Amino acid sequence: ADEPTSGLSATDAESCIRYMRLLAKKFGLTFVVSIHQPRPEVAKLFDHLLLLTSNPGRVVYNGPMRDAAGACASVGYAVPDFVNPTDYMLDLVTPGMKTGHPEDFVKYYEEHSQAQVEALVASELENERQSALELVSEQLRHVSEDWGTLPPVRNSVYGVRFRRQLALVFQRQLLLSLRDPLGIGMEIGVALGQSIVIGVAYIDVSSKANFSQALFFFMMVMTVALVGMKVMPKLIDERLVVKKETSEALYSDWAYILSFSIINTIISLIGNGIFVVLVFWMSNAGWELLPEMMFWLTMLCLVMDSVYTLVAAIAKNSESAMMLALPFLTLFLLYNGFTLREDQLPHVMTWLMWLSPVAYTMEAVMMFAAHAQPDVFQVICDTMGYKHQEGLALGFLIGALVVFRLASVVCFKRLNNIRR
């Protein structure tokens, strides 16, 4: 305890130390207390004294509190009558004081006590002691004799089991998401707004030219790829609070990671579903295309959401998150397989197309559209060079989702930690 009596009156300071002594004796605890200028009644409550001088800090006494005055007299400076012993000793060992003689005390300690203290320490280090868990368990057994059966002590820094942590953190995250303006309300609002903008722009798109219909699919894919960016500020704002709480062992960071991942994924899927359904309804794009479109856009939504979560886990703040997201956006959105195709790239650059989840999604969507309406979309697929490789596309999207999720977990746990 660091100066537990600072700011207290002399009476309250004595009451505080008496209570600490009571706890120490009753529960078999050891209190290490730093204290300055205690009154005699307070000093007598301590069993052991370690007295230090300063500039530099050196030990001048290490022994029972009751023997401190005698040790002072042995150095040649007996405590006068009617003088507070602690004040007197502090004056003697403080450099710069007129009455200070710290070197005499240091020399006396080194000649008469230091060897014995070091030998005692070396001897005790050789003795195997009870672990903290064993000490607490033994004390709990004594308490149980007075108060009845108590839960067993767990060998963990956390007060409750992980499933209890997860339940409580999940409940809190869910309530915050419902209350937060950046939570589920904004997700639904953004989905509605995007649906209106794109739906109005492509009203009755099925009656338009085939390229206009393909452009409609492309706009939906690009919108889904970009909409997940809104998760970054929220995660960065929450991260500081979570890091502080987990550093105090209030709960495991895995409880937050799982809670955030589950809730954020559900919210993203709700927003994505609203967006796709409303756009199809407003644009009259052909309901037979909806299930496949929903599937591929959902996969893209999950992948891009994991990308933005990774960026947020790495970035120190929202501004740096936007800068870190630019390389991913450049790669995924520029190499999209529609406005930029593989046959338009230099041979040494074609591999970049293989790394874009947007390109795989666009190809899968167009190939299904060509299968459902070959007279409308087949010619576009032939022109763009699209192929039937849905298995490869699905495998890539699942693999990217796993890689980015795992990377975001590692970065969240390793980076931007609280220093104590």
Side-chain angles (χ1 to χ4, degrees):
D2 185 15
E3 302 184 37
T5 60
S6 294
L8 300 179
S9 67
T11 302
D12 290 337
E14 182 178 352
S15 298
C16 176
I17 300 302
R18 283 190 181 278
Y19 187 68
M20 295 176 68
R21 180 179 177 84
L22 174 63
L23 293 176
K25 300 301 182 181
K26 183 175 182 179
F27 296 106
L29 303 176
T30 298
F31 284 98
V32 179
V33 180
S34 64
I35 192 169
H36 302 288
Q37 295 181 306
R39 62 193 293 188
E41 293 82 1
V42 172
K44 292 178 181 178
L45 295 173
F46 291 96
D47 297 312
H48 196 91
L49 172 65
L50 178 63
L51 185 61
L52 304 175
T53 185
S54 60
N55 298 325
R58 290 166 294 172
V59 178
V60 295
Y61 178 75
N62 188 354
M65 174 64 82
R66 63 178 180 274
D67 297 337
C72 191
S74 299
V75 182
Y77 304 96
V79 179
D81 295 335
F82 311 111
V83 172
N84 184 346
T86 56
D87 288 342
Y88 183 71
M89 287 187 288
L90 285 175
D91 289 341
L92 287 172
V93 302
T94 301
M97 295 289 293
K98 291 183 180 180
T99 57
H101 302 280
E103 297 302 327
D104 293 344
F105 282 83
V106 170
K107 181 179 179 181
Y108 183 87
Y109 174 78
E110 291 176 347
E111 292 178 352
H112 295 84
S113 302
Q114 184 171 345
Q116 292 91 325
V117 171
E118 291 178 349
L120 178 62
V121 171
S123 173
E124 292 298 328
L125 287 176
E126 298 296 327
N127 296 331
E128 184 176 351
R129 302 289 184 176
Q130 289 180 306
S131 66
L133 180 63
E134 291 171 338
L135 288 171
V136 175
S137 298
E138 181 178 350
Q139 187 61 41
L140 185 65
R141 181 174 58 82
H142 294 305
V143 174
S144 299
E145 295 175 357
D146 298 329
W147 301 96
T149 304
L150 296 175
V153 179
R154 299 175 57 251
N155 187 17
S156 172
V157 298
Y158 304 110
V160 296
R161 295 184 182 277
F162 178 76
R163 62 174 177 268
R164 179 63 174 165
Q165 300 174 39
L166 180 60
L168 293 174
V169 175
F170 183 88
Q171 181 181 9
R172 186 181 72 170
Q173 288 299 117
L174 182 59
L175 290 175
L176 290 176
S177 297
L178 295 174
R179 297 172 181 173
D180 187 3
L182 298 179
I184 190 170
M186 189 186 74
E187 185 75 36
I188 296 176
V190 169
L192 292 174
Q194 291 174 331
S195 303
I196 293 173
V197 171
I198 296 180
V200 170
Y202 290 94
I203 286 179
D204 200 24
V205 69
S206 60
S207 63
K208 309 241 178 106
N210 56 359
F211 184 78
S212 295
Q213 297 185 51
L215 186 60
F216 163 72
F217 293 143
F218 174 71
M219 289 303 299
M220 291 190 66
V221 170
M222 295 295 283
T223 301
V224 170
L226 287 170
V227 72
M229 292 183 68
K230 62 185 178 298
V231 75
M232 294 193 297
K234 178 182 179 182
L235 179 57
I236 292 173
D237 290 342
E238 289 183 356
R239 184 180 63 201
L240 178 61
V241 176
V242 173
K243 291 287 186 178
K244 287 182 177 180
E245 292 178 342
T246 55
S247 68
E248 297 287 352
L250 297 182
Y251 53 85
S252 168
D253 47 9
W254 279 106
Y256 172 77
I257 291 171
L258 292 176
S259 299
F260 177 85
S261 299
I262 293 172
I263 294 174
N264 185 65
T265 298
I266 293 174
I267 292 175
S268 298
L269 293 179
I270 292 174
N272 182 71
I274 292 173
F275 167 72
V276 175
V277 172
L278 287 182
V279 168
F280 262 73
W281 175 69
M282 296 181 67
S283 61
N284 193 26
W287 291 104
E288 70 275 9
L289 301 177
L290 178 61
E292 195 78 11
M293 191 75 173
M294 179 70 77
F295 172 77
W296 289 109
L297 289 182
T298 298
M299 291 301 303
L300 178 62
C301 173
L302 294 176
V303 172
M304 295 305 296
D305 185 72
S306 64
V307 172
Y308 298 129
T309 302
L310 170 60
V311 172
I314 297 174
K316 292 185 178 295
N317 50 53
S318 298
E319 292 76 14
S320 60
M322 297 302 297
M323 297 297 295
L324 288 172
L326 286 178
F328 294 101
L329 295 177
T330 301
L331 173 62
F332 297 161
L333 303 184
L334 178 61
Y335 296 88
N336 54 61
F338 188 76
T339 59
L340 184 64
R341 304 189 303 274
E342 188 173 337
D343 59 1
Q344 296 174 315
L345 293 172
H347 181 69
V348 296
M349 301 290 289
T350 55
W351 62 275
L352 291 173
M353 194 70 73
W354 307 339
L355 300 178
S356 173
V358 174
Y360 283 105
T361 303
M362 190 63 198
E363 182 180 52
V365 167
M366 289 302 301
M367 289 306 299
F368 177 76
H371 174 74
Q373 301 178 11
D375 54 329
V376 178
F377 296 106
Q378 187 61 54
V379 64
I380 295 179
C381 292
D382 294 339
T383 303
M384 296 293 182
Y386 293 149
K387 304 173 184 177
H388 278 292
Q389 46 184 8
E390 289 82 357
L392 175 61
L394 181 59
F396 174 84
L397 293 176
I398 293 176
L401 174 62
V402 172
V403 169
F404 286 125
R405 283 293 179 186
L406 291 177
S408 65
V409 170
V410 172
C411 292
F412 182 84
K413 291 173 68 67
R414 300 282 185 178
L415 303 179
N416 303 301
N417 291 318
I418 301 295
R419 293 184 178 181
R420 295 192 176 276

